[in-house]
Amino acid sequence: MSKSFVVRMVVWWLLIIYLALDFFVFKGPVKGEIDNMRSDSDELVAAMRAQGMVARVYGKPIYLGQVDRRLDERLWRMDQKRADLPAKQLEMWRKVVLEELIDEELMRIKVRFNQGEYPVAEEKIDQQLAYFKARFASDEEYQQALVAQGIENDEEMRYRIAAQLQQDIYLAEKISDAVAIDDELAIAWFEQNKSELAQPESRRVRHIFIAKLNKDSAVVKQRLEQVLGNIESGQIDFADAAAAVSEDAANKSRGGELGWMHEGRLPEDFAQAVFQLETGQPRLIESSLGWHIAEVVAVNPARQASYDELADEIKSNLADMRRTEAIRQYRANLRAMHPGKVVLFSFDGL
């Protein structure tokens, strides 16, 4: 053996001995650095928490910015804003959204292993990305949103969009049997709920209206009594009177037509009077808002709708209910398949 070989072997063994002592005896700097690099190290967790991390799924962080962005989208559909929510309600909503994001990340991992089975057209990704960008006033605001969600660039955003679309296809396939609704099931549901599906009486109503607000109610009543007298004597047509007198701007140009109404769609005091009127006999009615000359033009009596009339609606509603439950159950099963891989942190201090 050459002298250089012996030197290399000695150095090699000394290095092995040092590493062994560093790892298992002294817990020295090498072990410390490696521990700090681990995704579950206290130092790394503390650093990521300081950046807003609220959960990890297989070591991948989910940030508060992602949660709030999804929450803002949901509240926007409800005509609400995050800033208007009380603290307890905001925390509740954040937890709900965080659970959704965790389930989606688990689904993303699941789909990734079968990616080739669920192709997504580039055009579809382009469309979704354009829709997302359109929410922002400028490219700078869009880039800030990406940073807040832990997304590095457009390429990663496209990947996430593609993953979400693949998840939708994957999930639809997995729950397709559970949401299938045939006629036998729909008919059974119709028979069980027939009494609740009766069509209530509806009336086609028109009116002439003057509000009482900031007016003498007696004066308003007297004016409409004169108009009603002119209608009954044939001096003026109801539609012409509505156009000339009514303060209901939404329908005065249409002869005062309110259209077909169920009793539950009208203010209670007005509805009680209208649904006692005879067809073609205009009458003066007082409501909490003002005085009306109301006339019932036609009546559709209450009736039991047939299955054929409601079949499509029943099947659609049953499928929606089953789809919601099937997705909930599938996600619960998916979470149970990955114990210990989901780590949650509190929102405190963020």
Side-chain angles (χ1 to χ4, degrees):
M1 292 183 291
S2 67
K3 185 178 179 179
S4 61
F5 176 78
V6 173
V7 171
R8 286 197 302 270
M9 289 298 296
V10 171
V11 172
W12 174 252
W13 278 107
L14 287 174
L15 179 60
I16 292 176
I17 293 170
Y18 171 80
L19 291 175
L21 291 172
D22 187 290
F23 268 82
F24 304 110
V25 179
F26 304 117
K27 302 188 185 305
V30 177
K31 184 178 188 304
E33 284 299 317
I34 292 177
D35 285 345
N36 287 338
M37 293 171 61
R38 290 170 51 207
S39 63
D40 59 348
S41 70
D42 293 340
E43 292 81 359
L44 185 59
V45 168
M48 297 179 77
R49 284 281 289 147
Q51 297 174 26
M53 181 179 66
V54 291
R56 287 185 304 160
V57 182
Y58 274 88
K60 182 179 179 62
I62 295 177
Y63 292 99
L64 182 60
Q66 294 171 256
V67 174
D68 283 345
R69 175 67 64 179
R70 176 69 63 87
L71 177 55
D72 286 342
E73 291 176 4
R74 176 172 291 190
L75 292 174
W76 178 75
R77 297 188 191 100
M78 301 164 60
D79 196 26
Q80 291 182 288
K81 293 182 179 179
R82 182 159 36 98
D84 299 330
L85 297 180
K88 288 291 184 183
Q89 190 175 1
L90 174 60
E91 183 178 4
M92 179 207 63
W93 271 115
R94 279 173 164 171
K95 288 179 178 179
V96 170
V97 171
L98 177 58
E99 291 295 322
E100 291 180 359
L101 292 174
I102 289 170
D103 288 341
E104 289 176 9
E105 184 60 33
L106 288 173
M107 190 87 68
R108 189 176 292 119
I109 293 170
K110 187 78 173 176
V111 174
R112 193 175 298 158
F113 288 103
N114 305 286
Q115 193 168 1
E117 299 177 25
Y118 307 100
V120 177
E122 290 296 320
E123 294 78 6
K124 187 69 174 178
I125 300 173
D126 291 339
Q127 181 183 12
Q128 292 297 315
L129 181 58
Y131 175 75
F132 181 76
K133 286 185 174 181
R135 302 176 187 178
F136 304 97
S138 65
D139 185 65
E140 181 180 0
E141 186 178 329
Y142 163 69
Q143 295 298 332
Q144 290 173 351
L146 293 189
V147 172
Q149 297 186 57
I151 301 173
E152 293 183 0
N153 48 42
D154 270 5
E155 184 178 350
E156 183 178 350
M157 186 65 197
R158 289 181 63 83
Y159 168 77
R160 293 199 179 198
I161 291 173
Q164 182 61 58
L165 293 171
Q166 287 176 325
Q167 287 176 46
D168 293 343
I169 299 170
Y170 173 84
L171 192 56
E173 178 184 288
K174 294 299 179 183
I175 67 173
S176 59
D177 292 339
V179 301
I181 305 295
D182 56 21
D183 278 314
E184 182 178 357
L185 181 63
I187 290 172
W189 189 91
F190 172 78
E191 293 297 333
Q192 291 173 2
N193 297 274
K194 185 182 293 185
S195 61
E196 300 176 15
L197 299 174
Q199 301 294 309
E201 177 185 315
S202 60
R203 295 185 165 211
R204 183 182 160 203
V205 182
R206 59 182 179 175
H207 80 152
I208 299 168
F209 171 73
I210 298 181
K212 294 186 295 185
L213 184 64
N214 299 325
K215 300 188 184 94
D216 186 326
S217 180
V219 173
V220 173
K221 178 183 179 183
Q222 183 178 21
R223 183 183 181 193
L224 284 185
E225 283 176 337
Q226 294 174 347
V227 174
L228 178 59
N230 291 335
I231 293 172
E232 291 176 329
S233 66
Q235 295 181 46
I236 189 171
D237 179 73
F238 192 104
D240 292 337
V245 176
S246 182
E247 294 181 352
D248 190 342
N251 54 60
K252 64 181 296 181
S253 63
R254 297 185 287 109
E257 284 279 354
L258 294 172
W260 288 95
M261 296 287 179
H262 299 140
E263 190 169 0
R265 289 188 57 192
L266 295 170
E268 185 176 356
D269 53 357
F270 184 60
Q272 287 178 350
V274 165
F275 274 74
Q276 293 176 5
L277 295 180
E278 297 293 331
T279 305
Q281 297 184 9
R283 291 290 182 267
L284 193 61
I285 295 173
E286 183 182 16
S287 73
S288 59
L289 299 176
W291 286 92
H292 313 250
I293 298 174
E295 180 183 9
V296 175
V297 179
V299 175
N300 276 334
R303 67 184 183 86
Q304 178 62 60
S306 69
Y307 170 74
D308 288 340
E309 290 178 275
L310 301 176
D312 291 342
E313 184 178 351
I314 290 173
K315 289 180 180 179
S316 177
N317 290 337
L318 287 177
D320 286 342
M321 288 189 289
R322 282 196 163 193
R323 184 177 295 105
T324 299
E325 175 57 24
I327 291 174
R328 186 200 65 78
Q329 187 60 53
Y330 184 81
R331 286 181 167 175
N333 293 340
L334 192 61
R335 184 80 67 94
M337 291 167 57
H338 301 269
K341 301 302 182 182
V342 176
V343 182
L344 294 172
F345 302 98
S346 71
F347 290 99
D348 296 341
L350 296 179

